[in-house]
Amino acid sequence: MAPFATSRTLLLSALLCVLLCSEVCVLQCGAAIGINYGQVGNNLPTPAQAVSLLSSLRVGKVRIYDVNPQVMAAFGGTGIELIVTVPNDLVQPMAASAGQAAQWVAANIRPYFPATRVTGVAVGNEVFTDDDEALKASLVPAMRNLHAALAQLGMDGYVHVSTASSLGVLANSYPPSQGAFTPECAALMLPFLRFLAETNAPFWINAYPYFAYKGDPANVSLSYALSDPYHVGAVDPYTHLQYTSMLYAQVDAVSFAAARLGYGGIPVYVSETGWPSKGDADEVGATVENARAYNRNLLVRQVGNEGTPLRPRQRIEVYLFALFNENMKPGPTSERNYGLYQPDGRMVYNVGLMQQQTTSATALSLAASSAPPSTRDVRKDFTSMFLFTALAILVTSQAFLLG
């Protein structure tokens, strides 16, 4: 293991120990962590109730899968950054008509902006791995028309236009330095990456290490899939970079794939990732314990301002999937059990997000467990002292190691 990787592991381990030993830790996270708010259920809270929960959790970034007017209005005045979605069935009409794109923006974003802080529009979802060739060919033209419509309203400097892709766009993801797009996607990727570079937009990837572990539990390390910072991980034999997180290795594989096409500078963010808390008999690893560990490990990495081994100075944005269990999602049992919360507001498991009394969306609370009211205030000052000392050591050490 390289000295840099060893030092990073020790620093992350020290921070994790502090977090796990403390009962209440309020951290200013800069809102890099996000949550996907899906609504495929018939028993979910109202949008206003969901937004109130997100605000109380200090979540600063949310992704939704439509432009539901009630949801858009509910986010108004909260300060939460919002990514909205153009459904796949509107991509082709939007590509064929600039007027259609302008009409969509005028009807679905302009009435709520800037009170509702829309910062991104995902044009379609996982289009590049869809079977519809006409849909794929329409994606970038639709994105260009949509960006032009935003520019006409002076909103292009505030709202990014991109699309969320599945990891299926890669022909190879391990080792990360050998990341490459599939032959089917490569030709489509060139105009897409060119558009992202021209508009300073990120590449969004939906990445789930759970599927890699479920598919081959005998050969895929569970600790590596769970992003356990204690795990020794894997070394890329070509770059000698040390990876303790499969998710971060997948992100870097996308970066290397983009670089092969001449666009290595585009930031790669995680638009979806998560771990199911329940599954069918053949869904290995779908447990409450693993779901809690996966999401908590990602929160700890975010608190530590951690970037990927390829881009250690750039903390990636990560959107956890999902806020609620959604009972109407099709497919195996796992599909309905990715939520941090039950629809009635009960935690599925305590990942460490603590609800607060105020509604500011500028911080994220992490805790190992809910402390009893009688002990919380007594321990708060001691917790803060140890936590901020650890963070100070982390930041100072990072500066030294990174030069």
Side-chain angles (χ1 to χ4, degrees):
M1 184 185 299
F4 174 79
T6 303
S7 301
R8 287 287 298 160
T9 300
L10 291 173
L11 289 168
L12 277 172
S13 299
L15 178 58
L16 182 60
C17 287
V18 173
L19 287 168
L20 293 176
C21 292
S22 64
E23 293 199 3
V24 178
C25 307
V26 180
L27 306 176
Q28 301 296 321
C29 287
I33 197 72
I35 290 183
N36 286 271
Y37 168 28
Q39 301 168 68
V40 188
N42 60 10
N43 59 351
L44 297 174
T46 66
Q49 291 170 328
V51 172
S52 178
L53 172 61
L54 288 161
S55 294
S56 72
L57 295 173
R58 306 297 200 275
V59 172
K61 296 177 182 288
V62 171
R63 178 179 172 226
I64 61 175
Y65 294 85
D66 54 20
V67 282
N68 182 317
Q70 289 182 313
V71 175
M72 297 292 287
F75 277 99
T78 63
I80 296 174
E81 296 181 10
L82 192 64
I83 294 175
V84 302
T85 303
V86 175
N88 285 10
D89 60 3
L90 289 184
V91 171
Q92 288 178 258
M94 199 172 284
S97 169
Q100 177 99 7
Q103 183 179 358
W104 188 90
V105 171
N108 296 293
I109 297 182
R110 185 65 189 93
Y112 308 99
F113 186 88
T116 297
R117 292 189 63 193
V118 179
T119 58
V121 177
V123 182
N125 188 53
E126 301 189 351
V127 170
F128 285 124
T129 48
D130 196 279
D131 293 331
D132 189 335
E133 296 301 321
L135 173 64
K136 295 178 189 178
S138 298
L139 181 60
V140 174
M143 294 171 68
R144 288 197 174 278
N145 283 343
L146 187 59
H147 182 266
L150 290 167
Q152 287 177 354
L153 296 173
M155 299 168 63
D156 56 311
Y158 304 94
V159 184
H160 291 303
V161 176
S162 188
T163 190
S165 296
S166 78
L167 207 63
V169 298
L170 294 181
N172 187 46
S173 62
Y174 185 82
S177 63
Q178 300 307 295
F181 294 115
T182 65
E184 296 79 11
C185 288
L188 296 168
M189 279 292 166
L190 273 171
F192 171 61
L193 293 171
R194 186 179 305 117
F195 171 81
L196 296 184
E198 290 172 358
T199 61
N200 296 313
F203 190 117
W204 288 324
I205 190 76
N206 297 340
Y208 289 85
Y210 163 71
F211 292 125
Y213 177 73
K214 172 192 168 186
D216 192 8
N219 295 305
V220 175
S221 165
L222 178 59
S223 293
Y224 184 51
L226 293 176
S227 291
D228 183 354
Y230 287 108
H231 183 58
V232 65
V235 176
D236 187 312
Y238 299 96
T239 63
H240 304 294
L241 293 173
Q242 180 84 17
Y243 289 87
T244 59
S245 166
M246 180 184 289
L247 177 67
Y248 283 28
Q250 292 171 338
V251 169
D252 277 358
V254 175
S255 295
F256 277 108
R260 280 188 162 75
L261 297 180
Y263 292 94
I266 293 173
V268 178
Y269 296 149
V270 181
S271 43
E272 277 185 28
T273 193
W275 197 286
S277 60
K278 185 179 179 181
D280 294 321
D282 62 343
E283 294 189 286
V284 180
T287 67
V288 168
E289 294 75 19
N290 287 342
R292 179 186 184 277
Y294 182 76
N295 286 317
R296 184 174 178 79
N297 287 337
L298 292 183
L299 289 173
V300 169
R301 289 173 183 273
Q302 290 288 303
V303 169
N305 293 323
E306 185 182 21
T308 68
L310 179 63
R311 296 172 175 169
R313 294 176 183 264
Q314 178 182 302
R315 181 174 62 179
I316 62 173
E317 288 186 5
V318 175
Y319 286 77
L320 302 182
F321 188 85
L323 182 59
F324 297 114
N325 282 339
E326 299 168 67
N327 68 347
M328 295 181 68
K329 294 200 71 174
T333 297
S334 62
E335 287 295 315
R336 294 174 290 282
N337 288 276
Y338 274 90
L340 301 178
Y341 284 84
Q342 299 285 7
D344 63 6
R346 291 180 295 118
M347 285 183 176
V348 177
Y349 49 86
N350 188 352
V351 71
L353 289 167
M354 298 294 294
Q355 288 179 247
Q356 303 295 311
Q357 294 298 318
T358 59
T359 57
S360 171
T362 58
L364 179 70
S365 299
L366 286 176
S369 63
S370 297
S374 60
T375 61
R376 184 175 299 157
D377 292 337
V378 174
R379 294 172 180 166
K380 182 177 180 181
D381 290 341
F382 292 100
T383 296
S384 298
M385 177 182 68
F386 285 114
L387 179 60
F388 285 109
T389 299
L391 286 172
I393 293 172
L394 177 65
V395 172
T396 302
S397 300
Q398 281 182 312
F400 175 76
L401 290 170
L402 295 175

